[in-house]
Amino acid sequence: MLTTIQELARRAGDIILRAEHEDLRVKNKSGSADFVTAYDVEVQTFLMGELAARYPAAQFLCEEKENDAMTAAPTFVIDPIDGTTNFIRGLRHSCVSIGYYEGGEVQLGVVYDPYSDEMFYATRGGGAYLTCGGKTRRVQREDKPLAETLVVIGTSPYYKERTGKETVRIFEELLYRTLDIRRSGSAALDLAYVADGRYDLFFEAVLSPWDFGAGRLLVTEAGGVITCPDGSKMPMAPVPILAGAPTAHQEFQQLIGYHG
Ligand code: IPD
Ligand code: CA
Ligand code: CA
């Protein structure tokens, strides 16, 4: 299954690359910065079609469709394009995110960036890896105290009326307690980069299951921690997320917390 999903992620990536300099047919979904393009739908339709043909019993939890609550049944959790605003703006920092769940637990996660041709993947208990330019290496992160972290923070653009003030408070706390802060526009790549030690800590006030569905396994298999900011396990619902080096993750909980 890992090889199949990687191959499909690459083909999905080709669809994303084909979109460059084309008319994206952008639509606003729910208002505030929430966009969908014809390509989000095309990638999702492609992945669902290919996976359903190979795994007919599987269910799907995907961003660009109506979803029922996830069950214990085999389920693919898909964000066809994570980083849609980056995609629309030509920022070349977006990815395909595919998680595979059984018994409600993530078993496999693939995050593919077609622009850098970086394929991050992890299997439960099997470690996290990165393939790029024909080479594969293990993805592992070192532990770090908060003071030595490069932080990446998401702004929950679709929920900012509710979460904006708290996000700004946390941003300010982190600004003075860490090395520096980034905001990338793709939460799935943020989690992959946290797994790989490019960033050390990630916070966002609301992420949906398709945003963290694959990246969560990259983080834990690389030796990081990912939970809600109170330390509890994330349900498959829109929730606040804290991920990173174990010590920094713990210090965030003790010193900063989340009062959403
Ligand atoms: C969004 C991106 C962004 C994060 C948002 C997500 P989308 O996903 O991951 O970085 O801040 O919370 O919804 O809409 O581009 O798939
Ligand atoms: Ca997303
Ligand atoms: Ca998306």
Side-chain angles (χ1 to χ4, degrees):
M1 181 183 276
L2 175 63
T3 318
T4 302
I5 294 182
Q6 286 177 327
E7 190 219 311
L8 294 176
R10 276 187 204 284
R11 286 170 62 192
D14 289 343
I15 300 175
I16 294 174
L17 292 181
R18 211 195 329 116
E20 287 204 277
H21 314 296
E22 294 291 322
D23 176 4
L24 301 179
R25 281 166 285 153
V26 179
K27 283 199 196 117
N28 197 303
K29 279 200 284 195
S30 63
S32 174
D34 196 357
F35 299 106
V36 61
T37 70
Y39 290 90
D40 298 75
V41 177
E42 185 179 338
V43 171
Q44 180 169 301
T45 305
F46 164 74
L47 289 173
M48 284 184 67
E50 296 286 332
L51 289 167
R54 289 170 172 83
Y55 308 101
Q59 301 185 348
F60 290 90
L61 184 64
C62 306
E63 176 161 22
E64 311 303 342
K65 76 176 189 69
E66 296 295 318
N67 295 292
D68 297 325
M70 200 176 88
T71 67
T75 305
F76 290 104
V77 178
I78 298 176
D79 195 338
I81 303 180
D82 183 59
T84 293
T85 300
N86 285 351
F87 174 68
I88 292 167
R89 300 285 175 138
L91 287 166
R92 309 187 102 243
H93 188 77
S94 310
C95 65
V96 182
S97 173
I98 306 172
Y100 174 69
Y101 286 66
E102 251 180 52
E105 301 289 339
V106 63
Q107 308 296 333
L108 190 161
V110 168
V111 171
Y112 179 61
D113 176 348
Y115 301 104
S116 62
D117 189 30
E118 288 187 306
M119 175 78 70
F120 293 92
Y121 62 95
T123 53
R124 172 173 290 270
Y129 299 85
L130 168 61
T131 300
C132 184
K135 287 194 187 136
T136 298
R137 66 167 169 82
R138 186 102 192 221
V139 165
Q140 261 168 322
R141 69 146 307 109
E142 59 177 315
D143 196 16
K144 275 191 185 168
L146 194 58
E148 291 173 24
T149 57
L150 180 64
V151 178
V152 64
I153 192 163
T155 51
S156 300
Y158 318 141
Y159 301 90
K160 61 188 170 203
E161 300 305 324
R162 173 156 68 82
T163 62
K165 271 209 166 65
E166 179 63 356
T167 297
V168 171
R169 179 190 73 84
I170 288 171
F171 190 99
E172 187 175 4
E173 290 277 356
L174 288 169
L175 184 62
Y176 295 108
R177 293 179 192 273
T178 66
L179 295 179
D180 202 1
I181 303 178
R182 302 283 185 270
R183 195 302 184 244
S184 87
S186 167
L189 280 177
D190 291 347
L191 294 176
Y193 284 20
V194 164
D196 198 28
R198 299 175 189 185
Y199 304 133
D200 305 302
L201 194 70
F202 168 86
F203 166 80
E204 186 154 1
V206 185
L207 275 193
S208 292
W210 40 81
D211 300 314
F212 63 76
R216 70 187 308 172
L217 191 61
L218 295 170
V219 172
T220 54
E221 288 295 328
V225 181
I226 178 165
T227 62
C228 291
D230 63 3
S232 62
K233 185 179 172 186
M234 299 100 72
M236 293 302 279
V239 281
I241 300 277
L242 178 65
T247 299
H249 184 276
Q250 196 173 28
E251 282 182 89
F252 180 107
Q253 288 180 72
Q254 287 159 355
L255 300 171
I256 301 173
Y258 175 66
H259 315 303

